[in-house]
Amino acid sequence: MKRALITGITGQDGRFLAELLLSKGYQVYGLLKGQANPKAQLVQAELPQVELLEGDLTDLTSLVRAVETAQPDEVYNLAAISFVAMSFQQPELTANITGLGVLRMLEAIRIVGGSHDNPIRFYQASSSEMFGKVRETPQTELTPFYPRSPYGAAKVFGHDITVNYRESYGMFACSGILFNHESEKRGLEFVTRKITNAVARIKLGLQTELALGNLEPQRDWGYAGDYVEAMWLMLQQDQPGDYVVATGETHSVREFVERAFHHAGIDDWERHVVIDERFFRPAEVDLLVGDATKAEQMLGWERKVSFSELVERMVDHDLKVETDLVERSR
Ligand code: G4F
């Protein structure tokens, strides 16, 4: 039985990945931060087979202990301060967790080791935010980075140090440069879920307005369930490497809003959307669109869920959740 340790187990990707690895017969360990973390219950209810270990990316000792306990074949480093807007509010914390946390995890793996025949394989969750003010379109594994936020800058460090440990110490370390990936498990602070949740509530008469920032940025949005498959595939190859994971399509925030309202049967969406300066960022990433040819050819990866299916799935989910809440409160 293969063993995997996932940091960021309570997040969208952690939960999707744990589900995938369990379905493949892995023993899965999840690193959990903080005492009485309220999200632990969610993971325990959803995925009772996952064993939770306490640890924090700011504390090397706790990472060494977690790796010693889990004795993993594979480590997936998904934990981070992942909300770009928050990284402007807490840049130092972001650098410490999202950036230096990667270095600590790599060091923990080096310290604990793994047998010579079976060294621990490492996956780093890199991000298309590293491309920021893009130098070319579409973006590939070779496109230079130009981050536009403390989050993007921290991810560049995480990516570079992963490549460096691979080249310096021969570690099987991979970096997945994932473009935006969403789902019904997405946190409400991210724009897609914020939109689909508000659309559902407006449809049910529970709220009238949706306050948003800049509607013009364009993103390459895929389905998170498809993307965790690429993470796993990277660690099953003969050689480690870096891969862009994307759909190759780009859509604006405005288009996401229109589609979501339309799917709920509301066509006069502009009546419900107010532009609020508080949601604008000090520096914006205007356009992202990835070229996943390498992942498609070398990993055999393909995305299964289209943009419109993604929007519809999220709206349908939120309509159901909000309807259930209303019925339970009666
Ligand atoms: O949903 P977002 O917050 O995602 P963002 O910033 O693109 O980052 C996400 O994807 C990255 C991969 O490229 C990940 F690395 C990262 O961890 C995260 O998962 O914002 C998307 C766009 C931005 O341009 C933002 O300015 O939506 C715009 N936006 C407009 N109004 C808003 C809002 N974003 C949020 N969160 N809330 C708004 O009200």
Side-chain angles (χ1 to χ4, degrees):
M1 186 191 262
K2 272 203 189 177
R3 302 157 74 90
L5 172 63
I6 302 175
T7 75
I9 189 75
T10 60
Q12 166 188 260
D13 293 5
R15 286 153 61 205
F16 270 115
L17 180 64
E19 206 177 309
L20 177 77
L21 297 181
L22 288 169
S23 77
K24 292 184 183 296
Y26 278 62
Q27 165 133 24
V28 178
Y29 293 84
L31 194 76
L32 196 72
K33 188 179 103 159
Q35 237 176 322
N37 184 329
K39 287 185 177 169
Q41 282 179 350
L42 177 71
V43 176
Q44 270 159 351
E46 202 175 274
L47 303 158
Q49 308 96 309
V50 171
E51 194 159 326
L52 297 174
L53 303 174
E54 271 181 36
D56 193 315
L57 281 186
T58 60
D59 178 9
L60 175 62
T61 311
S62 72
L63 300 180
V64 169
R65 281 214 189 95
V67 176
E68 271 173 353
T69 307
Q71 292 292 320
D73 299 286
E74 298 167 9
V75 172
Y76 294 87
N77 185 42
L78 312 186
I81 300 272
S82 63
F83 185 36
V84 174
M86 181 180 157
S87 80
F88 287 102
Q89 306 301 324
Q90 300 191 32
E92 193 180 334
L93 184 68
T94 303
N96 198 2
I97 295 177
T98 307
L100 281 176
V102 186
L103 172 65
R104 293 190 193 97
M105 197 69 236
L106 286 162
E107 272 302 313
I109 292 171
R110 245 165 54 84
I111 290 167
V112 180
S115 71
H116 188 64
D117 295 342
N118 189 22
I120 299 170
R121 296 184 168 207
F122 177 75
Y123 172 84
Q124 167 56 17
S126 288
S127 162
S128 55
E129 277 290 305
M130 300 189 303
F131 297 123
K133 191 169 179 178
V134 296
R135 311 321 281 157
E136 63 178 2
T137 295
Q139 295 87 52
T140 74
E141 293 78 10
L142 300 177
T143 302
F145 300 137
Y146 192 144
R148 294 276 280 170
S149 62
Y151 169 84
K155 281 287 181 187
V156 171
F157 175 78
H159 172 86
D160 286 345
I161 203 69
T162 300
V163 174
N164 180 256
Y165 269 52
R166 178 169 75 218
E167 293 176 355
S168 304
Y169 308 116
M171 282 179 69
F172 195 107
C174 297
S175 170
I177 307 176
L178 269 53
F179 283 62
N180 296 51
H181 44 287
E182 318 292 314
S183 75
E184 50 280 15
K185 295 194 202 320
R186 194 57 147 149
L188 287 166
E189 67 274 35
F190 297 96
V191 80
T192 53
R193 185 81 199 289
K194 181 176 173 180
I195 295 166
T196 59
N197 179 261
V199 164
R201 292 178 57 81
I202 290 169
K203 177 73 182 174
L204 297 172
L206 300 171
Q207 75 184 58
T208 53
E209 266 182 10
L210 164 60
L212 290 171
N214 192 346
L215 300 185
E216 306 318 323
Q218 291 172 263
R219 290 289 183 275
D220 180 330
W221 274 298
Y223 181 63
D226 292 346
Y227 285 40
V228 295
E229 187 109 34
M231 298 177 186
W232 176 77
L233 283 167
M234 284 177 217
L235 296 200
Q236 312 314 309
Q237 304 305 303
D238 291 338
Q239 297 299 326
D242 307 321
Y243 298 86
V244 158
V245 181
T247 71
E249 268 179 46
T250 193
H251 300 271
S252 65
V253 175
R254 177 185 299 277
E255 213 178 320
F256 196 105
V257 172
E258 274 170 6
R259 293 256 186 141
F261 273 104
H262 179 74
H263 184 61
I266 304 170
D267 284 324
D268 56 348
W269 64 271
E270 274 151 321
R271 225 164 46 86
H272 298 285
V273 173
V274 292
I275 301 303
D276 186 333
E277 291 296 323
R278 282 179 307 154
F279 297 113
F280 280 71
R281 294 175 183 175
E284 184 56 90
V285 172
D286 296 320
L287 167 80
L288 290 174
V289 56
D291 175 353
T293 305
K294 182 179 173 191
E296 286 161 5
Q297 291 182 352
M298 297 189 66
L299 306 178
W301 177 79
E302 58 171 0
R303 69 102 173 236
K304 297 183 185 89
V305 178
S306 71
F307 175 69
S308 29
E309 281 165 350
L310 172 69
V311 179
E312 288 166 19
R313 197 182 276 222
M314 290 177 70
V315 171
D316 290 343
H317 171 82
D318 280 325
L319 276 168
K320 182 169 181 324
V321 168
E322 292 299 326
T323 306
D324 288 351
L325 281 175
V326 170
E327 274 164 16
R328 245 181 278 149
S329 69
R330 275 197 188 125

